[in-house]
Amino acid sequence: MKLDRSSALFGKARSLMPGGVNSPVRAFRSVGCDPLFIERAAGSRIYDADGNEYIDYVGSWGPMIVGHCHPRVVHAVTSAMEKGSSFGAPTELEIRLAEMVVEAVPSIEMVRMVSSGTEATMSAIRLARAYTGRDAVIKFAGCYHGHADSLLVRAGSGAATFGVPDSPGVPADFARHTLIAEYNDPDSVEALITENKGKVACIIIEPIAGNMGTVAPRRGFLEALRRMCDREGIILIFDEVMTGFRVAYGGAQELYGVTPDMTTLGKIIGGGLPVGAFGGRQEIMELLSPSGGVYQAGTLSGNPLAMAAGIATLTLLQEKGFYANLEEKSARLAAGLARAAADAGFPVYSARVGSMLCTFFSNREVDNWTSAAGCDTATFGRYFRAMLDQGVYLAPSQFETVFVSGAHSVEDIDLTIEAAAKAFKILAS
Ligand SMILES: *Cc1c(COP(=O)(O)O)cnc(C)c1O
């Protein structure tokens, strides 16, 4: 496969942008090759600067659930563009998308639009702290909530009670308020609450973790968090930036029937344009400026192009059978990949919730960050490259999720499974 132009562009980009990219994982560091520069995309396919075609399972890291360049989304955005790309004043489009969000997710009584998932989680936590008058935040090792200072914290090695910053530049004083629990382990949460009685403002969680591969919540885990939060007056925040409109129209909270106090959204609600949102119970949301004193703002918040893309995307998701069809294709893909690995005698652990799936290079179950971190990432890198060589574009990391879209055809899925069968044979030999 010829990649001359991508290589030349990457060389140039590296002199202008740190690592040659505007977001780290795009650099392909963990899979041992250089990134592709993308020229265009359509439906399930993505095309690089050298003209190579790939079946795309990254979907811009989640937003492209109806596929790339869906004509209805393109039409909505170009129509909005003709009327003006930004006014810094309210528009009816914002009301329409807000109404769709409130209808889709009953726990959201009021919502605020922002421009990224990072802003959504950061602001939701500010609000939870203001509402409770408490400072501490419980998050889970391996869960990603964007790059706000206080959330860039995982468990240190050992059972550190207080968070240690993941990144230089995050003051230890900020990280101190972030407490780290183990995913799927209610006892680890209970222990933190007991040690920090009356100090915990909120628990923030990806109700299906999608940033350590794909890790589903064990039966009863989310319910246990709900009960602890009710008992202790703690705000439960579901970070559904990835799962919202992905695993069901109403997100993971619809799928599992557990109701959070607040929800953060992003990715799909922007239909490929920059959007995030956070919402929840009215009495909490009313604390937000200008109705309350908690400050939060954005020059491009509720941007008309982004609202139009979101409205068009959500409208497509409401079509009868969309999720059932997605489920069928995703199940076919996951089963096919697992069979390909098994036929080659290659040990993997397959995880899937709806159209989110992950092939963990592990011979045991992956249910939290500790088990995810034990995966064979070097072999994942070889698998990734073998798939790329055959025209399948996966996320360039073991700790990411494969996204199936409405645009993937059964033929795409079967081609992918055939490619995987070859890839696993190479790995096993
Ligand atoms: C992607 C993601 C974010 C961050 O969203 P950005 O738009 O990249 O800032 C936050 N939380 C979760 C669960 C995500 O998957």
Side-chain angles (χ1 to χ4, degrees), residues 47-210:
Y47 301 84
D48 70 17
D50 290 278
N52 300 305
E53 177 179 336
Y54 307 86
I55 305 174
D56 176 31
Y57 289 101
V58 178
S60 187
W61 303 89
M64 311 314 295
I65 192 168
V66 298
H68 294 282
C69 286
H70 191 289
R72 299 250 299 270
V73 179
V74 172
H75 176 73
V77 175
T78 49
S79 306
M81 183 74 205
E82 280 163 8
K83 295 182 180 167
S85 57
S86 183
F87 315 115
T91 62
E92 192 172 343
L93 289 171
E94 292 159 83
I95 300 175
R96 291 208 352 241
L97 187 56
E99 209 161 37
M100 291 177 96
V101 169
V102 167
E103 271 167 20
V105 187
S107 70
I108 300 183
E109 293 171 359
M110 294 185 105
V111 64
R112 172 154 291 177
M113 300 294 171
V114 292
S115 298
S116 69
T118 295
E119 280 181 83
T121 57
M122 186 181 85
S123 309
I125 284 173
R126 184 178 302 149
L127 207 45
R129 283 173 162 157
Y131 179 80
T132 56
R134 304 172 183 173
D135 288 339
V137 170
I138 294 179
K139 81 173 275 292
F140 294 85
C143 281
Y144 179 66
H145 305 291
H147 63 91
D149 279 339
S150 65
L151 291 170
L152 267 190
V153 185
R154 257 164 267 178
S157 54
T161 301
F162 291 108
V164 178
D166 252 359
S167 163
V170 176
D173 266 1
F174 292 8
R176 192 164 61 83
H177 296 296
T178 306
L179 315 173
I180 306 298
E182 275 296 318
Y183 204 86
N184 275 325
D185 179 1
D187 292 345
S188 72
V189 181
E190 195 71 77
L192 289 174
I193 292 174
T194 305
E195 281 164 41
N196 299 276
K197 200 81 184 159
K199 292 184 184 155
V200 179
C202 61
I203 296 177
I204 184 166
I205 185 165
E206 294 179 66
I208 299 157

Side-chain angles (χ1 to χ4, degrees), residues 213-231:
T214 310
V215 176
R218 283 239 176 84
R219 188 186 296 276
F221 175 55
L222 298 174
E223 289 85 344
L225 298 182
R226 181 66 274 175
R227 279 195 303 275
M228 286 181 230
C229 285
D230 286 342
R231 195 188 69 211

